[in-house]
């Protein structure tokens, strides 16, 4: 799935690195706990989260993720957007809740990583 | 032995929002050096976990990364409260992080085991009331 397809499915707004929305992603992870993202994520390129602080961006950067979706209308700060821009990470926000956002992507073919 | 490159950072313990800056910078430096992406990923994750630990548990410290011919060494040194029982701290799920830290997305007790998993060697030297030094190595094959 392309990041641009995710944007449509989630009725999301792109907040930075729009130039990268044609990139393909193959799996995603929905999580508010960065400890778990660091410990369990393997090849997921997309992070959906309701947590808003600069560590979300840095965690995604450490994990080589290329897109972050903030759910429940949570808006990242300018500082966070600046960090994301430096790393080329696409940032989006959607009104949807985490459960619904993940469900929409999953049912449309963006399945999670099956290996633990 | 070829020449080794050394990077050093002060890790600020008062400002959680800046935690992880050193690791982000190291990741950039290693990319510039053309290091294998999988090695970079392992070094970054291990260092980031350790850097966050220094900020949330030890009030900051110093991070040093040495890039040698055969391995990358990460040294994280703090003058925090120290770790009373290292075996216990190494267990998945063990954490003394307060709720304030959990609400920031950390404190699940996964960091130290994760650091061990992503590195080829890890040593913790800690004295209660004096501080903690963590030395990790990732081999460059
Ligand atoms: N530098 C340090 N100084 C003092 N205590 C530490 C330090 N690093 C870790 N600890 C202790 O070891 C425990 C386990 O650390 P670990 O990184 O595994 O988990 P955590 O930091 O609590 O949570 P997480 O890493 O999942 O966010 C910590 O809760 C803390 O009590
Ligand atoms: Mg930790």
């Amino acid at each position: 799935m392309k990041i641009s397809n995710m944007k449509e499915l989630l009725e999301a707004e792109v907040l930075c690195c729009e130039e990268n929305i044609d990139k393909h992603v193959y799996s995603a992870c929905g999580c508010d706990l960065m400890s778990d993202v660091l410990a369990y994520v393997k090849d997921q390129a997309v992070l959906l989260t309701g947590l808003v602080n600069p560590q979300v961006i840095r965690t995604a950067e450490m994990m080589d993720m290329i897109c972050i979706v903030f759910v429940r209308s949570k808006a990242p700060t300018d500082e966070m957007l600046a960090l994301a821009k430096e790393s080329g990470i696409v940032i989006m926000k959607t009104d949807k809740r985490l459960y619904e956002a993940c469900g929409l992507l999953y049912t449309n073919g963006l399945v999670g990583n099956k290996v633990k | 032995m070829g020449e080794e490159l050394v990077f050093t950072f002060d890790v600020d313990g008062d400002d959680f929002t800046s935690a992880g800056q050193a690791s982000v910078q190291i990741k950039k430096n290693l990319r510039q050096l053309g290091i294998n992406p999988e090695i970079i990923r392992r070094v970054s994750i291990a260092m980031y976990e350790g850097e966050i630990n220094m900020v949330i548990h030890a009030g900051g410290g110093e991070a040093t990364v040495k890039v040698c011919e055969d391995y990358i060494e990460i040294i994280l040194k703090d003058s925090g409260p120290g770790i009373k029982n290292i075996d216990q701290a190494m267990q998945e799920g063990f954490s003394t992080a307060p709720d304030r830290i959990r609400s920031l997305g950390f404190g699940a007790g996964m960091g130290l085991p994760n650091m061990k998993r992503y590195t080829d060697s890890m040593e913790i030297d800690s004295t209660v009331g004096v501080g903690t030094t963590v030395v990790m190595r990732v081999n460059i094959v």
Side-chain angles (χ1 to χ4, degrees), chain B residues 49 52-53 56-57 106-107 109-112:
Chain B
E49 292 272 21
I52 300 273
N53 276 356
I56 65 183
H57 304 299
F106 291 89
M110 298 304 297
L112 289 174

Side-chain angles (χ1 to χ4, degrees), chain A residues 32-36 38-43 51 53-56 58-59 61-64 79 83 86-87, chain B residues 16-21 23-24 27-28 41 44-45 48-49 52 103-108 110 114 117:
Chain A
D32 285 351
L33 194 56
M34 295 306 109
S35 298
D36 277 353
L38 287 159
Y40 296 117
V41 166
K42 248 207 119 226
D43 297 317
L51 183 74
N53 66 44
Q55 267 60 48
V56 176
R58 294 199 185 101
T59 300
E61 155 84 355
M62 291 305 116
M63 303 306 291
D64 298 321
E79 184 199 357
L83 277 175
E86 259 182 63
S87 309
Chain B
F16 181 77
T17 57
S18 70
Q21 262 173 357
S23 305
V24 170
K27 186 156 193 168
K28 282 193 189 125
R41 181 181 160 99
S44 315
I45 296 172
Y48 184 67
E49 292 272 21
I52 300 273
S103 67
L104 294 169
F106 291 89
M110 298 304 297
N114 209 26
R117 192 156 60 97

Side-chain angles (χ1 to χ4, degrees), chain B residues 69-84:
Chain B
E69 205 170 271
D70 303 328
Y71 59 87
I72 297 173
E73 188 168 74
I74 309 152
I75 304 161
L76 303 165
K77 187 172 167 27
D78 68 61
S79 311
I83 304 174
K84 220 178 285 167

Side-chain angles (χ1 to χ4, degrees), chain B residues 53-107:
Chain B
N53 276 356
M54 284 205 297
V55 175
I56 65 183
H57 304 299
E62 194 184 74
T64 306
V65 176
K66 292 184 189 162
V67 183
C68 305
E69 205 170 271
D70 303 328
Y71 59 87
I72 297 173
E73 188 168 74
I74 309 152
I75 304 161
L76 303 165
K77 187 172 167 27
D78 68 61
S79 311
I83 304 174
K84 220 178 285 167
N85 182 337
I86 293 176
D87 287 341
Q88 188 182 38
M90 284 303 299
Q91 279 166 25
E92 286 193 3
F94 176 84
S95 176
T96 59
D99 286 347
R100 180 179 59 85
I101 296 301
R102 277 201 197 101
S103 67
L104 294 169
F106 291 89

Side-chain angles (χ1 to χ4, degrees), chain B residues 10-40:
Chain B
D10 269 326
V11 176
D12 186 352
D14 302 321
D15 181 13
F16 181 77
T17 57
S18 70
Q21 262 173 357
S23 305
V24 170
Q25 185 57 48
I26 279 296
K27 186 156 193 168
K28 282 193 189 125
N29 295 353
L30 296 180
R31 277 204 193 112
Q32 261 163 20
L33 291 170
I35 308 270
N36 172 304
E38 191 48 38
I39 302 282
I40 296 182

Side-chain angles (χ1 to χ4, degrees), chain A residues 1-19:
Chain A
M1 184 184 292
K2 278 188 180 180
I3 295 177
S4 54
N5 300 132
M6 289 177 39
K7 168 183 154 47
E8 276 161 39
L9 287 166
L10 300 175
E11 295 166 36
E13 184 188 337
V14 175
L15 303 175
C16 96
C17 297
E18 184 131 30
E19 67 276 13

